[in-house]
Amino acid sequence: MSQPSVLAALLSGLRSGSIEVVDLTQPLSSTTPVIQLPPPFGQTQVFELEEISRYDDRGPAWYWNNFRSGEHTGTHFDAPVHWVTGKDLADVASVPASRLIAPAAVLDFSEQAAKDPDFLVEVDHIKAWEAEHGPLPDGGWLLLRTGWDARSGSQEEFLNADENGPHTPGLSPECARWVAEESPVLGLGTETVGTDAGRAHSFDPAFPCHSYLLGADKYGLTQLQNLAALPPTGAVVLAGPLPIVTGSGAPARVLALVERS
């Protein structure tokens, strides 16, 4: 008798609930928080819908819309070409589809971020996690849980900015370099508006996660939700950005498969 195929086993697990699908995506609307840069830099577009027809004389049996959005609005994927260090590397349409499905390591720093919104993850934090859970997954995602998704209903609370700029958690410059150059992961995922900490504009280099990771042909996922529903290891992430030709990134539907006993 032939053994069931891997795909048949996957479908069976999804139907039975032994494999749970966790949606890591923030719903996309006009109220979705977006990054704000100081003048004179250009600004990204807030998501907008323009109705084409809605069961009326413009189209009696159908409802549809045009939409306008920045590439880096809401839950989105950063391609290497997004940053000057990766300007000769892949655009979002050129990212191999096989790299859009990968295992995940979830590192929980929500307690630290609740006490200090400027909390920075250091290499020693990751090494301590590895001592408990094993090495970061080769060709996988490093997902940074900080509890920041609880703020996603408010632009002001999500950016958490004052006269000195935004205050959100992230990686230190040395940790960003280590993740880019020495770790085996293919990218970094965060719950904040970008992969970098809020005060990364003043780091050396500025915005080190963007500079180091994208320059190393790695990727970013931002504004993730529901990382609290994932185990430290074992989840598989499916990241589906729009394949925009020459695009620097794209809004993405990001899902995780989690095996439940």
Side-chain angles (χ1 to χ4, degrees), residues 115-141:
K115 294 175 183 175
D116 177 12
D118 288 320
F119 172 75
L120 298 179
V121 177
E122 303 288 353
V123 177
D124 284 348
H125 291 118
I126 299 179
K127 295 289 189 181
W129 183 93
E130 288 185 307
E132 181 177 357
H133 300 287
L136 296 176
D138 191 2
W141 287 99

Side-chain angles (χ1 to χ4, degrees), residues 22-250:
V22 180
D23 197 341
L24 306 183
T25 315
Q26 182 177 354
L28 195 53
S29 74
S30 60
T31 63
T32 300
V34 297
I35 195 169
Q36 291 182 333
L37 301 180
F41 300 118
Q43 302 296 327
T44 193
Q45 171 69 40
V46 173
F47 183 83
E48 293 179 354
L49 279 182
E50 176 194 24
E51 189 174 276
I52 301 172
S53 68
R54 193 179 181 102
Y55 326 120
D56 52 30
D57 56 2
R58 299 170 298 169
W62 51 92
Y63 165 57
W64 57 341
N65 302 287
N66 293 318
F67 69 85
R68 187 177 183 213
S69 177
E71 295 173 325
H72 301 266
T73 297
T75 302
H76 64 271
F77 186 101
D78 289 351
V81 75
H82 175 46
W83 212 250
V84 64
T85 51
K87 63 185 178 65
D88 298 319
L89 301 175
D91 65 20
V92 70
S94 302
V95 173
S98 60
R99 302 194 85 190
L100 300 177
I101 304 174
V106 183
L107 281 63
D108 183 3
F109 297 104
S110 53
E111 236 180 83
Q112 294 92 325
K115 294 175 183 175
D116 177 12
D118 288 320
F119 172 75
L120 298 179
V121 177
E122 303 288 353
V123 177
D124 284 348
H125 291 118
I126 299 179
K127 295 289 189 181
W129 183 93
E130 288 185 307
E132 181 177 357
H133 300 287
L136 296 176
D138 191 2
W141 287 99
L142 169 59
L143 302 183
L144 194 63
R145 183 187 166 212
T146 56
W148 216 256
D149 56 339
R151 298 168 173 254
S152 63
S154 164
Q155 171 87 4
E156 182 178 341
E157 290 183 14
F158 197 67
L159 297 188
N160 195 37
D162 60 18
E163 65 277 4
N164 297 313
H167 299 275
T168 61
L171 304 186
S172 73
E174 173 55 26
C175 190
R177 187 206 61 78
W178 183 88
V179 171
E181 298 176 4
E182 299 186 42
S183 86
V185 300
L186 60 71
L188 171 70
T190 68
E191 296 171 330
T192 49
V193 75
T195 53
D196 272 295
R199 53 195 178 102
H201 58 86
S202 63
F203 291 172
D204 183 17
F207 305 105
C209 287
H210 283 79
S211 182
Y212 286 131
L213 270 80
L214 300 182
D217 200 24
K218 295 188 176 185
Y219 312 126
L221 284 176
T222 73
Q223 288 182 243
L224 297 172
Q225 304 262 291
N226 302 321
L227 292 185
L230 305 188
T233 65
V236 174
V237 168
L238 296 82
L242 298 173
I244 302 169
V245 175
T246 74
S248 72

